[in-house]
Amino acid sequence: MEKIKMPHPIAELDGDEMTHVLWGKIKEQLILPFVELNTEYYDLGLPNRERTADQVTRDAAEAIRRLHIGVKCATITPNLQRQEEYGLSQLWKSPNATIRAALDGTVFRAPILISRVKPVVTSWKKPVTIARHAYGDLYKAVEYRVPGKGKAELVFTDENGVETSRQTVYQFSGPGVVQAMHNRDDSILSFARCCFSYGLSVGQDVWFSSKDTISKDYDQTFKLLFQKVYDEEYRTAFEKAGLTYRYALIDDVAAKVIRSPGGIIWACKNYDGDVMSDLIAAASGSLPMMTSVLVSPDGNFEYEAAHGTVTDHFYRWRRGEKVSTNPLATMVAWAGALRKRGEWDKNQRLVDYSDCLNQAGLDVFEEGYLSEDLAALCDPADLKEMPDNDRLLSLIRQRLEVLLAQ
Ligand code: NAD
């Protein structure tokens, strides 16, 4: 079979540890035999970030903006222990944070569902996708440990130095804590646009939740800006596509999602999204089955697995042990990026190949060949084998060849 051509490149961001090893194997065994892969390659492995003083991460983010599509392998976010392990000159920032900031993007996380691993929530027939606002709130908060009696105030001074607001936060009669958070209209508007664009692109309803009954200015602003963007920019397209947007209180949405069949995008403020994406992951099956897409309001897409570099497997693999790492989310990331390229280029062969790549892994898992993380979760009667990485990829390769020949 003639290899599938790919006239326009995507940005490829390689990473660290076990996922870096899998990255190479997935390319070598599942992609390169079938596709004339056209990527701009960036090595975001920690040693190369150190060598380039993290310039490679900034270059990679720029490449995603330029090429509009990227696929990323998991990377180490260094802490003090990693600094020692890799001899780093400094604690480089999380590459994901750098890329998110450069693209002003929203992260959409959805679980991959397979019938062998039943979601804890039995009504879910389709994945629930969490869209997490990735700017501000708790994550950019200013905090103070109040030592004792005194008054905490919230003061705003405008650009001319004129104090336009002063409110008492609390009159302390003893020690306590105080915190100030912020967000920006432009970031909230981008977030709303990303959610509605993504909803349209995957054909799913969008629900946005906050707590505007209690937070009458802060959360209310989110609610109003979402509604404005929907009414002015997306309502017509949503109605044409038979989709809906709804706003509700977060407690209401949390209760409704549990009883829904899934297949919705739940847009969450930063902290809510942090909590809910792990909850959805655990309730759906397992963290290694979560996929992640970063979407920017001007239409750039970065696909990745939500899990990390699987350090524990890497150390075992380095000692020569056989390990059984789940490759599905990384394969789904590749399939998503290649499919998007195929759609935009009207390259039907690339679209079909991407769908087969997606399906091949699922089929092998559905047959009962499960990686270690899922083997532990499924009914033992459903487990045919727990293959190591090489065997699992060769099973997926066989299945992929069958699907491509059909
Ligand atoms: P992790 O996701 O790598 O692992 C958490 C647990 O889940 C481990 O027990 C691991 O064995 C298991 N697991 C994860 N993915 C798996 C898979 N595909 N197959 C089987 N088991 C899997 O998270 P961690 O251990 O907290 O972090 C390891 C490294 O990854 C850290 O250096 C961290 O900075 C980095 N990290 C990167 C990203 C990213 O790039 N998106 C996300 C999270 C963590």
Side-chain angles (χ1 to χ4, degrees):
M1 189 182 75
E2 200 199 333
K3 281 197 198 179
I4 299 160
K5 301 249 182 316
M6 205 179 140
H8 301 115
I10 61 173
E12 173 186 351
L13 283 55
D14 205 342
D16 289 296
E17 299 194 313
M18 203 63 225
T19 40
H20 163 70
V21 176
L22 268 181
W23 192 262
K25 288 181 192 276
I26 288 171
K27 270 173 68 176
E28 184 190 303
Q29 294 176 39
L30 304 178
I31 302 176
L32 293 172
F34 310 103
V35 180
E36 271 182 22
L37 189 64
N38 184 356
T39 66
E40 260 185 37
Y41 180 86
Y42 295 86
D43 175 9
L44 263 56
L46 198 43
N48 197 40
R49 278 182 272 153
E50 168 71 14
R51 240 186 327 269
T52 61
D54 209 24
Q55 185 58 38
V56 66
T57 308
R58 294 184 289 276
D59 290 347
E62 194 278 322
I64 298 174
R65 289 174 72 109
R66 186 165 31 84
L67 304 173
H68 308 300
I69 301 173
V71 57
K72 179 180 171 290
C73 178
T75 45
I76 293 169
T77 298
N79 53 16
L80 288 174
Q81 181 214 328
R82 298 298 202 157
Q83 184 169 26
E84 202 170 303
E85 183 182 351
Y86 283 84
L88 304 178
S89 57
Q90 56 173 282
L91 288 180
W92 302 110
K93 265 176 63 180
S94 147
N96 287 39
T98 303
I99 295 165
R100 260 202 312 261
L103 297 182
D104 186 18
T106 296
V107 176
F108 295 84
R109 286 193 164 187
I112 307 164
L113 299 182
I114 59 164
S115 68
R116 302 262 165 191
V117 179
K118 304 265 178 290
V120 178
V121 179
T122 49
S123 64
W124 288 347
K125 303 294 176 243
K126 288 187 190 158
V128 174
T129 301
I130 297 288
R132 174 181 169 194
H133 186 207
Y135 179 81
D137 299 354
L138 184 59
Y139 304 82
K140 292 243 186 243
V142 178
E143 304 190 333
Y144 181 61
R145 172 78 172 109
V146 175
K149 277 187 184 174
K151 183 162 71 167
E153 290 182 307
L154 188 64
V155 179
F156 184 76
T157 312
D158 75 10
E159 59 186 345
N160 303 315
V162 179
E163 185 185 305
T164 54
S165 169
R166 177 179 291 264
Q167 298 177 63
T168 300
V169 175
Y170 194 67
Q171 186 79 48
F172 285 91
S173 54
V177 279
V178 65
Q179 180 189 65
M181 303 196 300
H182 81 278
N183 222 302
R184 302 193 325 246
D185 280 16
D186 61 340
S187 178
I188 301 167
L189 290 166
S190 291
F191 175 45
R193 290 191 181 104
C194 291
C195 292
F196 293 129
S197 306
Y198 190 75
L200 278 178
S201 83
V202 295
Q204 291 184 354
D205 293 346
V206 173
W207 296 6
F208 174 55
S209 64
S210 74
K211 194 76 181 174
D212 64 295
T213 44
I214 303 294
S215 173
K216 290 187 168 48
D217 282 315
Y218 202 108
D219 282 15
Q220 174 79 352
T221 299
F222 275 80
K223 176 183 170 180
L224 293 177
L225 292 180
F226 254 76
Q227 194 63 47
K228 179 177 156 66
V229 170
Y230 179 69
D231 289 340
E232 292 177 5
E233 301 173 33
Y234 290 91
R235 183 185 283 278
T236 313
F238 262 59
E239 285 174 358
K240 205 163 142 204
L243 299 174
T244 54
Y245 163 63
R246 70 151 88 161
Y247 171 83
L249 290 173
I250 183 151
D251 31 348
D252 186 25
V253 173
K256 287 213 170 71
V257 161
I258 296 289
R259 298 195 168 273
S260 81
I264 48 162
I265 294 160
W266 180 4
C268 292
K269 289 175 60 207
N270 209 345
Y271 173 78
D272 301 340
D274 194 354
V275 177
M276 291 308 169
S277 50
D278 277 12
L279 184 125
I280 298 285
S284 303
S286 84
L287 173 73
M289 293 287 269
M290 285 299 270
T291 63
S292 177
V293 187
L294 175 71
V295 181
S296 75
D298 45 352
N300 302 306
F301 291 76
E302 185 218 39
Y303 297 81
E304 67 169 334
H307 61 73
T309 58
V310 208
T311 311
D312 46 348
H313 285 213
F314 181 62
Y315 290 162
R316 280 163 53 201
W317 176 82
R318 221 171 32 179
R319 286 198 299 269
E321 285 178 38
K322 285 192 184 303
V323 289
S324 173
T325 317
N326 189 335
L328 234 56
T330 304
M331 287 170 53
V332 167
W334 270 106
L338 293 175
R339 189 177 209 289
K340 183 61 82 191
R341 188 73 272 168
E343 275 173 21
W344 283 355
D345 296 347
K346 303 207 171 10
N347 183 346
Q348 193 56 42
R349 284 191 70 206
L350 190 58
V351 171
D352 293 343
Y353 161 81
S354 308
D355 290 344
C356 292
L357 179 63
N358 227 339
Q359 194 59 44
L362 285 174
D363 286 354
V364 168
F365 276 41
E366 289 291 3
E367 278 172 44
Y369 300 93
L370 295 170
S371 53
E372 183 182 295
D373 55 311
L374 296 183
L377 295 174
C378 79
D379 184 337
D382 280 347
L383 179 65
K384 209 175 261 170
E385 187 186 323
M386 195 181 80
D388 69 17
N389 287 351
D390 287 338
R391 164 120 173 101
L392 185 54
L393 286 180
S394 84
L395 287 167
I396 296 172
R397 164 73 179 262
Q398 283 168 27
R399 181 65 196 151
L400 180 60
E401 285 179 2
V402 171
L403 289 172
L404 288 171
Q406 279 171 3

